[in-house]
Amino acid sequence: MFDHNYTVNTDNWLQHFYPKICSKLNISSKSDYEEMVYWNQNGIKQNKLSPMLNLKSQKSIIFGSGPSLVNHENNLQKIINSKLFIISCDGATRWLLQNNRSPNLVISDLDGLDSKIIEYILSNNIMMHVLIHGDNRDKVSNFLDIKQDFNDSTNIWFFTQGKPIENWSNSIGFTDGDRALIFALLNKLNPLLLGFDLNSTLIGEYSKPYFNSNQSMTEHKQKKMDIAKNILNWCSFHYRFYTLDNRYSPGLEIDFPEYMELRL
């Protein structure tokens, strides 16, 4: 679907990748743009661009919400005792909190988070990247209503997946998982992917707050997973990152203890 020779940057995303995704999924780039403009005028005063973290050569773990997520409980204590930078993708945040671990960064378009988790994120001033797109207005409205009670929540940034207006940023990538990966790679966070089941026939139970078990993969979700796989392959052409099982997601396969000892 994508020409992997293109460098991973905003210009190539907007010119060569985003239009193809819009066409494949019948997404309106105009709707994405208009939603950004709407919120810029109605509740989101974006006066800062997303920071680069300046955490050179620190390792990170990115938790996706695929079915295999629950298999990593045995690794959590090692993660808690480490200095790993932890990124959770949308609904994977719920699993982390259930296991008494807070992420350093949540990347979400808000469809995997309920109000209680949003309140936890805001009350603990956890860094969060929120994607604004053409069909999540109700969720954004709910998020902003909750955010009003947390005036000190300064670590929230809003993004568009299309062409940004002044003071906004484009978030390279389409799903929460591939956007998290690209953020980590551009910040030199040497990521390890967990719960990225891009070849699974199931949707993970933590993908949505109202799921209580894994669900059958829908045709539309499968198209999204195919896009995510293409984006991860694009990234792997230019960067090194790791996975515990490359049968499910692109990346260099590595055991968790090996990753903990890896010198990067």
Side-chain angles (χ1 to χ4, degrees), residues 128-152:
M128 187 176 188
H129 289 185
V130 178
L131 183 68
I132 304 292
H133 56 69
D135 61 357
N136 67 344
R137 181 174 294 190
D138 289 346
K139 294 180 177 62
V140 174
S141 180
N142 178 63
F143 178 83
L144 293 177
D145 286 345
I146 298 172
K147 187 175 179 293
Q148 289 179 353
D149 295 329
F150 298 90
N151 293 327
D152 294 331

PDB file of all heavy atoms in Angstrom, residues 128-152:
ATOM      1  N   MET A 128      -0.628  13.260  27.748  1.00  0.00           N
ATOM      2  CA  MET A 128      -1.620  12.649  26.884  1.00  0.00           C
ATOM      3  C   MET A 128      -1.659  13.338  25.530  1.00  0.00           C
ATOM      4  O   MET A 128      -1.623  14.571  25.438  1.00  0.00           O
ATOM      5  CB  MET A 128      -3.005  12.723  27.539  1.00  0.00           C
ATOM      6  CG  MET A 128      -4.079  11.969  26.804  1.00  0.00           C
ATOM      7  SD  MET A 128      -5.647  12.006  27.723  1.00  0.00           S
ATOM      8  CE  MET A 128      -6.616  10.860  26.756  1.00  0.00           C
ATOM      9  N   HIS A 129      -1.703  12.540  24.474  1.00  0.00           N
ATOM     10  CA  HIS A 129      -1.885  13.027  23.110  1.00  0.00           C
ATOM     11  C   HIS A 129      -3.262  12.582  22.627  1.00  0.00           C
ATOM     12  O   HIS A 129      -3.537  11.381  22.552  1.00  0.00           O
ATOM     13  CB  HIS A 129      -0.809  12.468  22.183  1.00  0.00           C
ATOM     14  CG  HIS A 129       0.553  13.043  22.414  1.00  0.00           C
ATOM     15  ND1 HIS A 129       1.630  12.747  21.620  1.00  0.00           N
ATOM     16  CD2 HIS A 129       1.011  13.911  23.347  1.00  0.00           C
ATOM     17  CE1 HIS A 129       2.699  13.402  22.059  1.00  0.00           C
ATOM     18  NE2 HIS A 129       2.338  14.108  23.106  1.00  0.00           N
ATOM     19  N   VAL A 130      -4.106  13.537  22.306  1.00  0.00           N
ATOM     20  CA  VAL A 130      -5.488  13.267  21.909  1.00  0.00           C
ATOM     21  C   VAL A 130      -5.649  13.581  20.423  1.00  0.00           C
ATOM     22  O   VAL A 130      -5.359  14.701  19.986  1.00  0.00           O
ATOM     23  CB  VAL A 130      -6.474  14.121  22.734  1.00  0.00           C
ATOM     24  CG1 VAL A 130      -7.906  13.854  22.279  1.00  0.00           C
ATOM     25  CG2 VAL A 130      -6.324  13.832  24.222  1.00  0.00           C
ATOM     26  N   LEU A 131      -6.126  12.602  19.677  1.00  0.00           N
ATOM     27  CA  LEU A 131      -6.342  12.812  18.252  1.00  0.00           C
ATOM     28  C   LEU A 131      -7.755  13.328  18.001  1.00  0.00           C
ATOM     29  O   LEU A 131      -8.741  12.755  18.475  1.00  0.00           O
ATOM     30  CB  LEU A 131      -6.149  11.503  17.482  1.00  0.00           C
ATOM     31  CG  LEU A 131      -6.285  11.617  15.955  1.00  0.00           C
ATOM     32  CD1 LEU A 131      -5.135  12.426  15.372  1.00  0.00           C
ATOM     33  CD2 LEU A 131      -6.374  10.245  15.306  1.00  0.00           C
ATOM     34  N   ILE A 132      -7.842  14.415  17.257  1.00  0.00           N
ATOM     35  CA  ILE A 132      -9.119  14.963  16.806  1.00  0.00           C
ATOM     36  C   ILE A 132      -9.351  14.506  15.371  1.00  0.00           C
ATOM     37  O   ILE A 132      -8.518  14.752  14.491  1.00  0.00           O
ATOM     38  CB  ILE A 132      -9.105  16.505  16.852  1.00  0.00           C
ATOM     39  CG1 ILE A 132      -8.766  17.014  18.258  1.00  0.00           C
ATOM     40  CG2 ILE A 132     -10.420  17.078  16.357  1.00  0.00           C
ATOM     41  CD1 ILE A 132      -9.799  16.744  19.303  1.00  0.00           C
ATOM     42  N   HIS A 133     -10.462  13.837  15.114  1.00  0.00           N
ATOM     43  CA  HIS A 133     -10.765  13.450  13.732  1.00  0.00           C
ATOM     44  C   HIS A 133     -12.256  13.620  13.464  1.00  0.00           C
ATOM     45  O   HIS A 133     -13.012  14.089  14.323  1.00  0.00           O
ATOM     46  CB  HIS A 133     -10.283  12.027  13.430  1.00  0.00           C
ATOM     47  CG  HIS A 133     -10.807  10.973  14.342  1.00  0.00           C
ATOM     48  ND1 HIS A 133     -12.125  10.568  14.358  1.00  0.00           N
ATOM     49  CD2 HIS A 133     -10.189  10.209  15.284  1.00  0.00           C
ATOM     50  CE1 HIS A 133     -12.301   9.607  15.232  1.00  0.00           C
ATOM     51  NE2 HIS A 133     -11.138   9.373  15.831  1.00  0.00           N
ATOM     52  N   GLY A 134     -12.686  13.235  12.300  1.00  0.00           N
ATOM     53  CA  GLY A 134     -14.006  13.608  11.815  1.00  0.00           C
ATOM     54  C   GLY A 134     -15.185  12.965  12.498  1.00  0.00           C
ATOM     55  O   GLY A 134     -16.326  13.398  12.286  1.00  0.00           O
ATOM     56  N   ASP A 135     -14.972  11.936  13.331  1.00  0.00           N
ATOM     57  CA  ASP A 135     -16.136  11.275  13.929  1.00  0.00           C
ATOM     58  C   ASP A 135     -15.965  10.988  15.420  1.00  0.00           C
ATOM     59  O   ASP A 135     -16.488   9.995  15.932  1.00  0.00           O
ATOM     60  CB  ASP A 135     -16.479   9.983  13.181  1.00  0.00           C
ATOM     61  CG  ASP A 135     -15.355   8.959  13.214  1.00  0.00           C
ATOM     62  OD1 ASP A 135     -14.276   9.270  13.769  1.00  0.00           O
ATOM     63  OD2 ASP A 135     -15.558   7.851  12.700  1.00  0.00           O
ATOM     64  N   ASN A 136     -15.242  11.857  16.141  1.00  0.00           N
ATOM     65  CA  ASN A 136     -15.158  11.646  17.595  1.00  0.00           C
ATOM     66  C   ASN A 136     -15.556  12.900  18.383  1.00  0.00           C
ATOM     67  O   ASN A 136     -15.081  13.114  19.496  1.00  0.00           O
ATOM     68  CB  ASN A 136     -13.768  11.149  18.016  1.00  0.00           C
ATOM     69  CG  ASN A 136     -12.656  12.174  17.830  1.00  0.00           C
ATOM     70  OD1 ASN A 136     -12.831  13.172  17.124  1.00  0.00           O
ATOM     71  ND2 ASN A 136     -11.520  11.933  18.452  1.00  0.00           N
ATOM     72  N   ARG A 137     -16.454  13.707  17.814  1.00  0.00           N
ATOM     73  CA  ARG A 137     -16.838  14.949  18.481  1.00  0.00           C
ATOM     74  C   ARG A 137     -17.457  14.714  19.850  1.00  0.00           C
ATOM     75  O   ARG A 137     -17.144  15.427  20.813  1.00  0.00           O
ATOM     76  CB  ARG A 137     -17.807  15.759  17.604  1.00  0.00           C
ATOM     77  CG  ARG A 137     -18.210  17.090  18.260  1.00  0.00           C
ATOM     78  CD  ARG A 137     -19.050  17.964  17.360  1.00  0.00           C
ATOM     79  NE  ARG A 137     -18.303  18.438  16.194  1.00  0.00           N
ATOM     80  CZ  ARG A 137     -18.751  19.372  15.367  1.00  0.00           C
ATOM     81  NH1 ARG A 137     -19.942  19.924  15.568  1.00  0.00           N
ATOM     82  NH2 ARG A 137     -18.020  19.736  14.332  1.00  0.00           N
ATOM     83  N   ASP A 138     -18.354  13.726  19.963  1.00  0.00           N
ATOM     84  CA  ASP A 138     -18.998  13.470  21.255  1.00  0.00           C
ATOM     85  C   ASP A 138     -17.966  13.099  22.319  1.00  0.00           C
ATOM     86  O   ASP A 138     -18.061  13.548  23.472  1.00  0.00           O
ATOM     87  CB  ASP A 138     -20.034  12.359  21.122  1.00  0.00           C
ATOM     88  CG  ASP A 138     -21.268  12.791  20.345  1.00  0.00           C
ATOM     89  OD1 ASP A 138     -21.425  14.018  20.140  1.00  0.00           O
ATOM     90  OD2 ASP A 138     -22.051  11.920  19.941  1.00  0.00           O
ATOM     91  N   LYS A 139     -16.990  12.297  21.936  1.00  0.00           N
ATOM     92  CA  LYS A 139     -15.971  11.873  22.892  1.00  0.00           C
ATOM     93  C   LYS A 139     -15.067  13.040  23.284  1.00  0.00           C
ATOM     94  O   LYS A 139     -14.659  13.160  24.452  1.00  0.00           O
ATOM     95  CB  LYS A 139     -15.168  10.716  22.309  1.00  0.00           C
ATOM     96  CG  LYS A 139     -15.993   9.446  22.109  1.00  0.00           C
ATOM     97  CD  LYS A 139     -15.160   8.345  21.524  1.00  0.00           C
ATOM     98  CE  LYS A 139     -15.976   7.048  21.396  1.00  0.00           C
ATOM     99  NZ  LYS A 139     -17.125   7.196  20.507  1.00  0.00           N
ATOM    100  N   VAL A 140     -14.743  13.884  22.325  1.00  0.00           N
ATOM    101  CA  VAL A 140     -13.927  15.061  22.636  1.00  0.00           C
ATOM    102  C   VAL A 140     -14.693  16.002  23.557  1.00  0.00           C
ATOM    103  O   VAL A 140     -14.137  16.562  24.513  1.00  0.00           O
ATOM    104  CB  VAL A 140     -13.503  15.788  21.341  1.00  0.00           C
ATOM    105  CG1 VAL A 140     -12.772  17.092  21.668  1.00  0.00           C
ATOM    106  CG2 VAL A 140     -12.621  14.886  20.488  1.00  0.00           C
ATOM    107  N   SER A 141     -15.975  16.175  23.292  1.00  0.00           N
ATOM    108  CA  SER A 141     -16.807  17.041  24.130  1.00  0.00           C
ATOM    109  C   SER A 141     -16.841  16.528  25.560  1.00  0.00           C
ATOM    110  O   SER A 141     -16.702  17.310  26.531  1.00  0.00           O
ATOM    111  CB  SER A 141     -18.224  17.111  23.554  1.00  0.00           C
ATOM    112  OG  SER A 141     -19.046  17.934  24.348  1.00  0.00           O
ATOM    113  N   ASN A 142     -17.004  15.215  25.727  1.00  0.00           N
ATOM    114  CA  ASN A 142     -17.004  14.624  27.071  1.00  0.00           C
ATOM    115  C   ASN A 142     -15.652  14.821  27.747  1.00  0.00           C
ATOM    116  O   ASN A 142     -15.579  15.147  28.944  1.00  0.00           O
ATOM    117  CB  ASN A 142     -17.332  13.134  26.967  1.00  0.00           C
ATOM    118  CG  ASN A 142     -17.312  12.442  28.312  1.00  0.00           C
ATOM    119  OD1 ASN A 142     -18.094  12.749  29.208  1.00  0.00           O
ATOM    120  ND2 ASN A 142     -16.388  11.492  28.476  1.00  0.00           N
ATOM    121  N   PHE A 143     -14.587  14.634  26.996  1.00  0.00           N
ATOM    122  CA  PHE A 143     -13.243  14.820  27.539  1.00  0.00           C
ATOM    123  C   PHE A 143     -13.046  16.251  28.034  1.00  0.00           C
ATOM    124  O   PHE A 143     -12.524  16.471  29.137  1.00  0.00           O
ATOM    125  CB  PHE A 143     -12.202  14.485  26.467  1.00  0.00           C
ATOM    126  CG  PHE A 143     -10.783  14.696  26.908  1.00  0.00           C
ATOM    127  CD1 PHE A 143     -10.122  13.719  27.635  1.00  0.00           C
ATOM    128  CD2 PHE A 143     -10.109  15.867  26.599  1.00  0.00           C
ATOM    129  CE1 PHE A 143      -8.806  13.908  28.051  1.00  0.00           C
ATOM    130  CE2 PHE A 143      -8.801  16.067  27.009  1.00  0.00           C
ATOM    131  CZ  PHE A 143      -8.148  15.082  27.732  1.00  0.00           C
ATOM    132  N   LEU A 144     -13.463  17.228  27.240  1.00  0.00           N
ATOM    133  CA  LEU A 144     -13.286  18.629  27.632  1.00  0.00           C
ATOM    134  C   LEU A 144     -14.154  18.992  28.832  1.00  0.00           C
ATOM    135  O   LEU A 144     -13.752  19.807  29.672  1.00  0.00           O
ATOM    136  CB  LEU A 144     -13.599  19.546  26.450  1.00  0.00           C
ATOM    137  CG  LEU A 144     -12.620  19.449  25.269  1.00  0.00           C
ATOM    138  CD1 LEU A 144     -13.083  20.340  24.135  1.00  0.00           C
ATOM    139  CD2 LEU A 144     -11.204  19.794  25.689  1.00  0.00           C
ATOM    140  N   ASP A 145     -15.336  18.386  28.917  1.00  0.00           N
ATOM    141  CA  ASP A 145     -16.185  18.619  30.087  1.00  0.00           C
ATOM    142  C   ASP A 145     -15.483  18.137  31.360  1.00  0.00           C
ATOM    143  O   ASP A 145     -15.516  18.820  32.401  1.00  0.00           O
ATOM    144  CB  ASP A 145     -17.527  17.886  29.935  1.00  0.00           C
ATOM    145  CG  ASP A 145     -18.452  18.567  28.938  1.00  0.00           C
ATOM    146  OD1 ASP A 145     -18.196  19.742  28.583  1.00  0.00           O
ATOM    147  OD2 ASP A 145     -19.413  17.921  28.507  1.00  0.00           O
ATOM    148  N   ILE A 146     -14.861  16.961  31.291  1.00  0.00           N
ATOM    149  CA  ILE A 146     -14.138  16.435  32.444  1.00  0.00           C
ATOM    150  C   ILE A 146     -12.906  17.296  32.735  1.00  0.00           C
ATOM    151  O   ILE A 146     -12.598  17.605  33.893  1.00  0.00           O
ATOM    152  CB  ILE A 146     -13.723  14.974  32.193  1.00  0.00           C
ATOM    153  CG1 ILE A 146     -14.958  14.095  32.013  1.00  0.00           C
ATOM    154  CG2 ILE A 146     -12.855  14.443  33.336  1.00  0.00           C
ATOM    155  CD1 ILE A 146     -14.642  12.679  31.566  1.00  0.00           C
ATOM    156  N   LYS A 147     -12.233  17.705  31.693  1.00  0.00           N
ATOM    157  CA  LYS A 147     -10.991  18.468  31.837  1.00  0.00           C
ATOM    158  C   LYS A 147     -11.209  19.803  32.554  1.00  0.00           C
ATOM    159  O   LYS A 147     -10.284  20.328  33.188  1.00  0.00           O
ATOM    160  CB  LYS A 147     -10.377  18.700  30.451  1.00  0.00           C
ATOM    161  CG  LYS A 147      -8.987  19.333  30.445  1.00  0.00           C
ATOM    162  CD  LYS A 147      -8.444  19.385  29.031  1.00  0.00           C
ATOM    163  CE  LYS A 147      -7.065  20.032  28.991  1.00  0.00           C
ATOM    164  NZ  LYS A 147      -7.102  21.453  29.329  1.00  0.00           N
ATOM    165  N   GLN A 148     -12.409  20.365  32.497  1.00  0.00           N
ATOM    166  CA  GLN A 148     -12.692  21.642  33.154  1.00  0.00           C
ATOM    167  C   GLN A 148     -12.430  21.597  34.657  1.00  0.00           C
ATOM    168  O   GLN A 148     -12.136  22.624  35.274  1.00  0.00           O
ATOM    169  CB  GLN A 148     -14.148  22.055  32.905  1.00  0.00           C
ATOM    170  CG  GLN A 148     -14.432  22.490  31.488  1.00  0.00           C
ATOM    171  CD  GLN A 148     -15.886  22.875  31.291  1.00  0.00           C
ATOM    172  OE1 GLN A 148     -16.721  22.692  32.175  1.00  0.00           O
ATOM    173  NE2 GLN A 148     -16.194  23.433  30.133  1.00  0.00           N
ATOM    174  N   ASP A 149     -12.538  20.422  35.242  1.00  0.00           N
ATOM    175  CA  ASP A 149     -12.335  20.274  36.678  1.00  0.00           C
ATOM    176  C   ASP A 149     -10.872  20.082  37.044  1.00  0.00           C
ATOM    177  O   ASP A 149     -10.544  19.914  38.221  1.00  0.00           O
ATOM    178  CB  ASP A 149     -13.140  19.086  37.204  1.00  0.00           C
ATOM    179  CG  ASP A 149     -14.643  19.304  37.064  1.00  0.00           C
ATOM    180  OD1 ASP A 149     -15.076  20.465  37.143  1.00  0.00           O
ATOM    181  OD2 ASP A 149     -15.363  18.306  36.874  1.00  0.00           O
ATOM    182  N   PHE A 150      -9.998  20.093  36.036  1.00  0.00           N
ATOM    183  CA  PHE A 150      -8.575  19.858  36.280  1.00  0.00           C
ATOM    184  C   PHE A 150      -7.762  20.956  35.602  1.00  0.00           C
ATOM    185  O   PHE A 150      -7.133  20.749  34.572  1.00  0.00           O
ATOM    186  CB  PHE A 150      -8.161  18.482  35.750  1.00  0.00           C
ATOM    187  CG  PHE A 150      -8.872  17.341  36.413  1.00  0.00           C
ATOM    188  CD1 PHE A 150     -10.068  16.856  35.892  1.00  0.00           C
ATOM    189  CD2 PHE A 150      -8.376  16.768  37.565  1.00  0.00           C
ATOM    190  CE1 PHE A 150     -10.733  15.806  36.502  1.00  0.00           C
ATOM    191  CE2 PHE A 150      -9.040  15.715  38.185  1.00  0.00           C
ATOM    192  CZ  PHE A 150     -10.218  15.232  37.659  1.00  0.00           C
ATOM    193  N   ASN A 151      -7.757  22.108  36.216  1.00  0.00           N
ATOM    194  CA  ASN A 151      -7.104  23.261  35.601  1.00  0.00           C
ATOM    195  C   ASN A 151      -5.596  23.108  35.504  1.00  0.00           C
ATOM    196  O   ASN A 151      -4.942  23.803  34.727  1.00  0.00           O
ATOM    197  CB  ASN A 151      -7.441  24.529  36.383  1.00  0.00           C
ATOM    198  CG  ASN A 151      -8.915  24.893  36.284  1.00  0.00           C
ATOM    199  OD1 ASN A 151      -9.539  24.650  35.258  1.00  0.00           O
ATOM    200  ND2 ASN A 151      -9.475  25.445  37.350  1.00  0.00           N
ATOM    201  N   ASP A 152      -5.019  22.222  36.320  1.00  0.00           N
ATOM    202  CA  ASP A 152      -3.573  22.054  36.305  1.00  0.00           C
ATOM    203  C   ASP A 152      -3.099  20.991  35.318  1.00  0.00           C
ATOM    204  O   ASP A 152      -1.924  20.646  35.300  1.00  0.00           O
ATOM    205  CB  ASP A 152      -3.074  21.686  37.716  1.00  0.00           C
ATOM    206  CG  ASP A 152      -3.270  22.823  38.701  1.00  0.00           C
ATOM    207  OD1 ASP A 152      -3.247  23.982  38.259  1.00  0.00           O
ATOM    208  OD2 ASP A 152      -3.456  22.532  39.900  1.00  0.00           O
TER     209      ASP A 152
END
